[in-house]
Amino acid sequence: MPAKVFVITGPSGVGKGTLIRTLRERMPELELAVSATTRRPRLGETQGVHYHFLDEAEFLRRIEAGDFVEHAEYSGRRYGTLRSELDKRIAEGHSVVLEIEVQGARQIAQTMPEAVRIFIAPPDERTLLNRLIGRDTDTREEIDRRLQVAKSELAAQDEFSHVVVNDRLDDAIDELQRVVSRM
Ligand code: ADP
Ligand code: 5GP
């Protein structure tokens, strides 16, 4: 398979991280770009593994330096994909997965139209809420903010040529693998 960029987007709590983890177990040749963020690490998150955790000043400096292929504000924090994360992997011939929110996915559509963009949708909003609560990583206030954002993100799913509904996990992974494999 020639090196490709896959953008996986969709609302927080829909299961993007879970799906990507399982997909990469099935397709170990896929590499994941480690994003940068100004949010604080959650319990168990490691610098450079889950994210490059940067402070606001450093993030702004790297925007100015042109280090990001996309970046966005989400729930009061900054998130972005470092060009270096993509370039080194593609240069080595690896396909790369970006797990990003919708504004970033739109930027990639403009700057890298050849990237394959996949929207992960929940079966319904109630399920999304239950997953955010069940994950137990965010305060109720943060969950409410994320659900608010989710409403506009869900309204944007028609912009994506591939939409995978994550209802039963096994079915969603099978479908995601089908999309990725045929590209
Ligand atoms: P995201 O990366 O999109 O924010 P996560 O992968 O962290 O979402 O998933 C949010 C929560 O939902 C996690 O607790 C995860 O275990 C759970 N989850 C993901 N997919 C499913 C599914 N198909 N059925 C039930 N629970 C799921
Ligand atoms: P979380 O705080 O739950 O890790 O991530 C919040 C949101 O930011 C999620 O929707 C996640 O996909 C998105 N995100 C993570 N990394 C990036 C990135 O590099 N760029 C953009 N635009 N969004 C990102």
Side-chain angles (χ1 to χ4, degrees), residues 4 7 10 12 19-22 28 30 37 46-47 62-64 69 72-73 75 77 81 127 138 147 150 158 169 175:
K4 289 228 156 55
V7 175
S12 180
L19 286 168
I20 291 169
R21 203 163 44 245
T22 315
L30 285 178
T37 184
T46 310
Q47 175 71 285
R62 301 201 67 167
I63 293 175
E64 282 299 303
V69 290
E73 258 188 74
S75 195
R77 300 291 177 175
T81 305
T127 305
D138 301 291
L147 276 181
D158 291 353
L169 188 61
E175 199 183 333

Side-chain angles (χ1 to χ4, degrees), residues 16 35 39 42 51 70 79-81 99-101 146:
K16 301 182 296 297
S35 292
R39 84 150 163 75
R42 293 177 182 140
Y51 277 105
E70 61 75 30
Y79 294 83
T81 305
E99 195 236 286
I100 64 179
E101 51 69 74
R146 287 174 180 240

Side-chain angles (χ1 to χ4, degrees), residues 11-19 21 99 131-132 134-135 166-169:
S12 180
V14 74
K16 301 182 296 297
T18 307
L19 286 168
R21 203 163 44 245
E99 195 236 286
R131 285 186 190 162
L132 281 168
R135 188 168 68 184
N166 182 20
D167 189 355
R168 266 198 68 236
L169 188 61

Side-chain angles (χ1 to χ4, degrees), residues 51-107:
Y51 277 105
H52 299 290
F53 294 100
L54 308 181
D55 64 22
E56 179 77 9
E58 177 67 2
F59 201 103
L60 290 177
R61 192 191 69 70
R62 301 201 67 167
I63 293 175
E64 282 299 303
D67 288 352
F68 288 107
V69 290
E70 61 75 30
H71 62 90
E73 258 188 74
Y74 176 91
S75 195
R77 300 291 177 175
R78 296 181 193 276
Y79 294 83
T81 305
L82 291 164
R83 197 175 301 282
S84 55
E85 285 287 321
L86 274 185
D87 287 355
K88 68 179 178 204
R89 295 187 164 88
I90 290 169
E92 288 164 357
H94 296 293
S95 287
V96 188
V97 176
L98 310 186
E99 195 236 286
I100 64 179
E101 51 69 74
V102 168
Q103 304 167 74
R106 286 194 181 115
Q107 293 170 40

Side-chain angles (χ1 to χ4, degrees), residues 113-156:
E114 70 284 6
V116 179
R117 292 172 305 120
I118 305 165
F119 188 96
I120 312 293
D124 50 63
E125 285 187 35
R126 181 78 218 176
T127 305
L128 188 62
L129 169 65
N130 289 339
R131 285 186 190 162
L132 281 168
I133 293 172
R135 188 168 68 184
D136 204 20
T137 52
D138 301 291
T139 61
R140 186 58 213 222
E141 206 183 15
E142 177 64 23
I143 288 174
D144 286 344
R145 263 202 301 275
R146 287 174 180 240
L147 276 181
Q148 244 351 89
V149 179
K151 291 184 197 302
S152 57
E153 292 182 318
L154 290 172

